[in-house]
Amino acid sequence: MSMFCFQCQETAGNKGCTIRGVCGKTEDVAKLQDLLIYTLKGISIIVRKSRINVSSISDVNHEVVNSLFMTITNANFDPDAIQTQIQKMIGIRDDLRDRTGIDDLDDAAMFSIETHEDMLEKAGSVGVLATDDEDVRSLREMITYGLKGIAAYAEHAFHIGKEDSSIYSFIYEALSSTLDNNLSADDLVALTLRTGENGVKVMALLDEAHTSRFGNPEITTVELGVRNHPAILISGHDLTDLEQLLKQTEGAGVDVYTHGEMLPAHYYPAFRKYDHFVGNYGNAWWKQVGEFETFHGPILFTTNCIVPPKSEEVRARIFTTGAAGYPGCTHIVPKENGEKDFSAIIKMAKTLPAPEQIETGTIVGGFAHNQVVTLADTIVDAVKSGKIKKFFVMAGCDGRMRSREYYTEFAEQLPSNTVILTAGCAKYRYIKNRLGSIGDIPRVLDAGQCNDSYSLAVIALKLKEIFGLSDINQLPIVYNIAWYEQKAVIVLLALLFLGVKNIHLGPTLPGFLSPGVTKVLVEKFGLSGIGTVEDDIGMFLGSKES
Ligand code: FSO
Ligand code: SF4
């Protein structure tokens, strides 16, 4: 087998990509990512054994977090960038080892590599399949994927100057634990829940970072049509990149539009003030192939999800930054002070035609926790009077699979006395479908990006308090979540840690769950997949057996 990866929902046959990723990841990139993760495990072993104070190694923390982020699905397809990162991390590892004077360590902390071929050979023995027991493998990988999600959010928070060293400590502990053969499956289940706990922590940290810097999201109407000016499209999740791009394009005669997960940026007061921040272009990540063609202008990827461009013309217009990367695309590196120079993108935009209009209309969003709490009285009255019968949390990701039409049909067939709470790119399956409102409350409340699923948990906890309930599961809230990549894994683990039961996960259960681990998740947490739209709606509304 040339490679093995089963970290995302689109993994081949829901078992594993073994020749080339369904995402477009090559065998070399898959192997290099495995080796990068293995190197991080070596660093973690040294940090743990030497009991080093993680606050004293902030550069190491940032590089570890960035390395994890680079291995998230659809973030970085550039073998050179990953190879350079491996070399950097081996250097950091050896430095740490020398500094702490610890030797007699596992291979991950000791191995050395000279050439690209060495790297690929080594990678062949340290990937997912290096663990024989399928339950242990499943738990180790679930923890690792959760850590990737934590790392993504920790990096965004760090860009805004917010850090929590206990999160870094946990990353080291958990990474080193995935090589610890003394841990039982029960130990790993406990560690999985602690991964969820740290997921809550990092999402809270990022929420605080975003709201303290950009203000609390507010109800906002986002334009879907275009203007007749040259323009830049920005995708991904990093709001500090958007902030810098908006400042640098001010007065330049170039408009800025969001794509995919950048849409919720429009909800923040700090960005709404820019006249040239026009609206959202297109849909979720997987529709970018056609949408980038008609956009005409340059595209900036701040994070995933990148789809390999089909033409040279589009590839030449794609720029990446941060953990994102694609071979042949210009990568923008920050200066020492963290500032990024986007002048090359702005210059290119001025030479290209304005975007072609692909739709008109608007999206209404901005229902993060602060905004929803101000509407709490109206919502509680609507629940008490029976105008709202149930809330459906439909957060998560969108993806290419036909089976995801389920989510559009599900949203459309829900009765008019139900409200959808959403976050992440899953919303594109129904947010434009005019599902109406209940009084002043829209039937689709978008809290923001996938990390803003935290907002949905805060809202649930607030409702629990208002209704005087002892258990979050007594609320009239159903969780029907769509997943795709590893940030969704940490959102799921965070919800499990918060005690949410009976989550439905689709369109398929993760391929990385072994039958044994699935059994535990079903028995302990009531986790299940999805069925047909009719059966599921009937079950959720209590007219059918669950
Ligand atoms: Fe979507 Fe991609 Fe936000 Fe993910 S754009 S799929 S879970 O990166 O992060 O929801
Ligand atoms: Fe396959 Fe997903 Fe891994 Fe890509 S990220 S190689 S699609 S499992």
Side-chain angles (χ1 to χ4, degrees):
M1 196 179 290
S2 55
M3 62 174 269
F4 187 84
C5 180
F6 62 176
Q7 66 175 354
C8 84
Q9 189 273 325
E10 292 186 1
T11 192
N14 208 29
K15 290 199 159 37
C17 296
T18 56
I19 300 166
R20 186 187 170 88
V22 171
C23 59
K25 188 157 87 176
T26 60
E27 176 189 336
D28 276 14
V29 170
K31 286 184 165 174
L32 291 169
Q33 290 185 346
D34 286 346
L35 187 60
L36 181 54
I37 295 286
Y38 187 63
T39 312
L40 303 182
K41 292 178 182 178
I43 291 174
S44 303
I45 288 170
I46 299 168
V47 171
R48 294 280 293 160
K49 281 215 168 165
S50 64
R51 296 176 188 278
I52 207 162
N53 176 356
V54 300
S55 307
S56 69
I57 49 166
S58 69
D59 287 356
V60 181
N61 302 337
H62 299 158
E63 290 295 348
V64 166
V65 155
N66 191 246
S67 304
L68 282 165
F69 200 169
M70 287 174 83
T71 70
I72 280 188
T73 299
N74 290 343
N76 202 313
F77 292 85
D78 187 351
D80 294 342
I82 298 162
Q83 181 161 330
T84 305
Q85 191 68 11
I86 293 171
Q87 277 154 344
K88 190 193 259 183
M89 298 317 287
I90 288 179
I92 286 177
R93 185 202 65 182
D94 293 351
D95 238 34
L96 263 180
R97 207 180 50 219
D98 293 346
R99 242 207 285 168
T100 54
I102 297 195
D103 46 19
D104 185 28
L105 291 160
D106 297 27
D107 176 67
M110 301 296 287
F111 77 90
S112 58
I113 240 90
E114 299 286 329
T115 63
H116 175 73
E117 281 61 41
D118 282 353
M119 283 198 188
L120 295 183
E121 201 190 319
K122 182 73 186 168
S125 62
V126 301
V128 173
L129 300 178
T131 304
D132 289 332
D133 183 291
E134 69 169 354
D135 292 334
V136 173
R137 183 196 303 151
S138 178
L139 290 163
R140 285 178 173 179
E141 292 307 315
M142 181 156 53
I143 291 164
T144 308
Y145 304 153
L147 294 175
K148 292 184 185 196
I150 289 177
Y153 298 152
E155 180 155 301
H156 293 313
F158 157 63
H159 286 164
I160 306 177
K162 298 275 181 201
E163 294 188 81
D164 177 343
S165 57
S166 72
I167 293 170
Y168 298 132
S169 294
F170 179 75
I171 291 175
Y172 293 121
E173 179 193 343
L175 276 174
S176 60
S177 299
T178 62
L179 285 183
D180 186 345
N181 292 327
N182 296 319
L183 295 181
S184 66
D186 281 349
D187 294 333
L188 290 170
V189 170
L191 190 61
T192 306
L193 273 191
R194 289 187 51 224
T195 310
E197 179 181 10
N198 281 273
V200 175
K201 215 190 255 183
V202 76
M203 282 192 268
L205 183 74
L206 182 54
D207 182 77
E208 208 219 315
H210 281 159
T211 53
S212 61
R213 171 87 153 250
F214 308 121
N216 272 300
E218 294 166 355
I219 301 175
T220 307
T221 303
V222 182
E223 287 297 328
L224 300 177
V226 299
R227 302 201 303 202
N228 193 22
H229 300 154
I232 297 168
L233 193 59
I234 179 166
S235 189
H237 305 72
D238 198 304
L239 300 184
T240 62
D241 289 330
L242 174 69
E243 182 183 38
Q244 296 191 54
L245 182 66
L246 287 172
K247 279 188 185 150
Q248 292 177 34
T249 42
E250 214 172 1
V254 170
D255 287 340
V256 175
Y257 294 80
T258 53
H259 189 266
E261 272 284 74
M262 201 52 93
L263 156 71
H266 291 280
Y267 309 155
Y268 288 90
F271 304 129
R272 282 168 37 184
K273 66 179 188 213
Y274 290 100
D275 289 340
H276 65 297
F277 190 36
V278 178
N280 190 68
Y281 191 82
N283 295 280
W285 64 272
W286 63 279
K287 290 213 167 167
Q288 67 187 250
V289 178
E291 291 168 357
F292 287 2
E293 278 186 21
T294 52
F295 186 75
H296 301 315
I299 300 121
L300 173 62
F301 268 105
T302 65
T303 64
N304 54 338
C305 279
I306 302 173
V307 178
K310 287 217 169 18
S311 74
E312 268 313 309
E313 190 276 320
V314 172
R315 185 203 297 238
R317 286 193 275 120
I318 294 179
F319 294 74
T320 59
T321 191
Y326 196 85
C329 296
T330 306
H331 186 76
I332 295 175
V333 183
K335 297 181 215 161
E336 279 280 302
N337 62 4
E339 276 172 23
K340 293 180 180 174
D341 178 3
F342 294 132
S343 56
I345 310 180
I346 300 166
K347 195 168 156 208
M348 180 187 279
K350 288 180 177 170
T351 66
L352 294 168
E356 197 174 312
Q357 184 139 293
I358 51 172
E359 63 187 326
T360 54
T362 54
I363 282 178
V364 176
F367 297 92
H369 57 89
N370 187 70
Q371 178 66 78
V372 173
V373 167
T374 63
L375 300 173
D377 288 347
T378 320
I379 292 172
V380 169
D381 285 350
V383 172
K384 286 189 174 153
S385 68
K387 283 190 190 139
I388 297 179
K389 187 171 177 201
K390 245 178 194 153
F391 297 92
F392 287 78
V393 171
M394 291 179 71
C397 321
D398 197 8
R400 287 169 274 230
M401 279 189 173
R402 286 277 309 268
S403 52
R404 286 187 190 260
E405 285 168 9
Y406 165 95
Y407 294 102
T408 308
E409 289 165 21
F410 186 92
E412 284 176 343
Q413 289 183 33
L414 278 175
S416 57
N417 57 2
T418 57
V419 169
I420 295 170
L421 305 174
T422 193
C425 58
K427 62 172 137 298
Y428 284 102
R429 287 278 168 181
Y430 43 79
I431 199 165
K432 297 176 184 173
N433 296 16
R434 303 192 182 287
L435 296 180
S437 52
I438 299 175
D440 291 338
I441 308 163
R443 286 199 49 238
V444 180
L445 302 181
D446 179 26
Q449 299 178 329
C450 47
N451 40 288
D452 295 309
S453 300
Y454 169 74
S455 246
L456 303 180
V458 172
I459 292 166
L461 290 168
K462 186 80 198 160
L463 289 175
K464 175 184 151 216
E465 185 191 312
I466 294 173
F467 287 112
L469 302 172
S470 58
D471 181 349
I472 201 169
N473 295 295
Q474 293 167 332
L475 284 165
I477 303 182
V478 167
Y479 292 80
N480 194 7
I481 288 176
W483 83 286
Y484 172 59
E485 46 90 326
Q486 299 77 53
K487 285 181 238 171
V489 174
I490 195 58
V491 169
L492 173 72
L493 297 182
L495 290 174
L496 295 182
F497 168 74
L498 289 171
V500 176
K501 296 249 167 31
N502 303 322
I503 295 172
H504 291 251
L505 189 64
T508 52
L509 286 179
F512 59 78
L513 292 182
S514 66
V517 173
T518 307
K519 194 163 170 267
V520 172
L521 293 176
V522 171
E523 283 170 3
K524 266 185 121 145
F525 304 101
L527 187 80
S528 62
I530 56 171
T532 66
V533 170
E534 292 73 19
D535 284 355
D536 287 355
I537 289 181
M539 172 187 71
F540 291 136
L541 294 176
S543 54
K544 283 199 181 173
E545 290 292 298
S546 71

